[in-house]
Amino acid sequence: MTDSDIEIEITAELVHDLLEDQHPDLAALAVREVAGGWDNHMWRLGDELALRMPRTERAPDLQVKERRWLPVLAPRLPLPVPLPVRVGEPSARFPRPWSIMTWVPGEPLDRSSISRGDHAADTLAGFLRALHVEAPADAPTSSDRGAHPKECTDGFEEFLRAIAPGGTAADVRAVRAVWDDAVAAPEWEGPPVWLHGDLHPANVVVSDGTLSGVVDFGDMFAGDPAWDLAAAWLLLPAGAAARFFEVYARTDEATIRRARGLAALKSLILILMGQNGERGLPGGKPTWGPAGRAALARVLTSG
């Protein structure tokens, strides 16, 4: 049996003991569990730090990627993002490396809402304009996302069958029409640009009714900006996507078509994860279901 096969219970006591062993100057800070997370189990450490403990086999590699590239990207980004502060080494108590990052204050959007739609649209557009610059040759790539929608059709059909978006054949046809339009759109012909890679409501935070931070860059990669531009429907309230694209200003019709189709795909995934959470299945996220259904409704009414 390997370390990756072992399910380790991550408790506040374990976190405290690891800090005592490796970062004793931080061990006196209060430790509080943070709900959510997929690849990492997160703990608040005092008021300004967060400790991220890998819970999946791929999580340590994602943390390495964040530690390598976030300090490069963060200085030009107009919203707070997590920055690496310390590294925890594998040990007998916990066999994987772990990270201490800065804490980005705010409430995750899957547990909150945006009331200042125009401000949020402007903020998201400004953030992505700053992020979406040509990436260097050694920037990371992605094995499971980043392709043209036509390469993702099998996954789309699987998710569409799984979630029954509104319960009627008309709903299914409407979702498929958006997807088919994305599949038919021309490919991205520009250089690969930096992408967050996983912009959805649990990976942004909200304060005062608008976006105030972006978290979880473990899936960052270089590629087609449509994968991030899908956030216009996934994150923003109804009617705000048009303003977002006006402010972002660096796109074309084909990219918007791909982005809208990818927003439909990602909405289906959110709905499915929400259903799994409602059923108590492992890895399910109950708060993702309402966020996914709202996002899908925005996709279908945006035209």
Side-chain angles (χ1 to χ4, degrees):
M1 178 177 289
T2 66
D3 289 341
S4 62
D5 298 320
I6 301 171
E7 183 66 28
I8 300 170
E9 183 181 7
I10 303 173
T11 64
E13 181 181 6
L14 173 61
V15 170
H16 181 266
D17 288 349
L18 292 174
L19 289 171
E20 282 277 12
D21 289 342
Q22 299 190 32
H23 301 284
D25 58 314
L26 302 178
L29 295 174
V31 173
R32 291 162 284 170
E33 187 174 6
V34 178
W38 182 267
D39 290 295
N40 296 288
H41 191 163
M42 190 157 71
W43 297 77
R44 187 90 179 262
L45 186 57
D47 293 329
E48 298 180 355
L49 299 174
L51 189 146
R52 302 175 75 202
M53 307 290 290
R55 57 157 53 114
T56 66
E57 188 172 357
R58 75 181 196 132
D61 288 339
L62 302 184
Q63 289 194 11
V64 169
K65 190 196 311 185
E66 288 183 309
R67 292 197 297 267
R68 165 68 178 88
W69 291 108
L70 275 173
V72 175
L73 299 176
R76 69 164 179 267
L77 299 178
L79 285 175
V81 300
L83 286 171
V85 175
R86 305 276 184 92
V87 178
E89 299 296 336
S91 66
R93 295 293 306 275
F94 190 77
R96 293 172 176 163
W98 41 279
S99 297
I100 298 175
M101 313 283 284
T102 56
W103 174 259
V104 179
E107 186 73 11
L109 181 55
D110 64 318
R111 301 171 183 271
S112 184
S113 62
I114 290 172
S115 57
R116 299 162 61 196
D118 285 352
H119 189 281
D122 294 352
T123 301
L124 180 62
F127 178 84
L128 291 182
R129 278 182 61 91
L131 177 62
H132 290 172
V133 300
E134 184 173 352
D138 60 341
T141 58
S142 177
S143 61
D144 62 348
R145 65 194 77 198
H148 188 282
K150 66 186 178 184
E151 305 297 333
C152 308
T153 297
D154 288 347
F156 170 81
E157 293 293 342
E158 177 185 348
F159 291 126
L160 185 60
R161 287 193 300 270
I163 64 100
T168 70
D171 294 322
V172 174
R173 285 196 300 271
V175 177
R176 183 170 281 117
V178 171
W179 181 253
D180 289 346
D181 184 60
V183 168
E187 297 193 24
W188 172 246
E189 295 182 350
V193 300
W194 276 113
L195 303 174
H196 177 279
D198 197 23
L199 284 175
H200 63 71
N203 284 343
V204 298
V205 295
V206 174
S207 301
D208 299 323
T210 190
L211 292 175
S212 58
V214 179
V215 300
D216 198 348
F217 281 74
D219 286 305
M220 75 175 89
F221 66 96
D224 177 359
W227 280 82
D228 274 359
L229 297 177
W233 295 277
L234 292 171
L235 304 181
L236 300 175
R243 180 180 179 111
F244 165 83
F245 283 110
E246 180 180 352
V247 175
Y248 181 81
R250 294 195 312 228
T251 191
D252 55 25
E253 179 188 1
T255 301
I256 294 174
R257 290 165 60 193
R258 294 193 308 276
R260 187 171 174 234
L262 291 167
L265 172 64
K266 295 182 179 190
S267 297
L268 297 181
I269 296 171
L270 290 172
I271 295 169
L272 179 59
M273 295 308 301
Q275 289 181 348
N276 289 347
E278 292 161 5
R279 296 167 183 161
L281 298 177
K285 305 289 184 182
T287 60
W288 291 18
R293 287 187 286 271
L296 188 60
R298 293 191 290 267
V299 169
L300 296 179
T301 57
S302 65

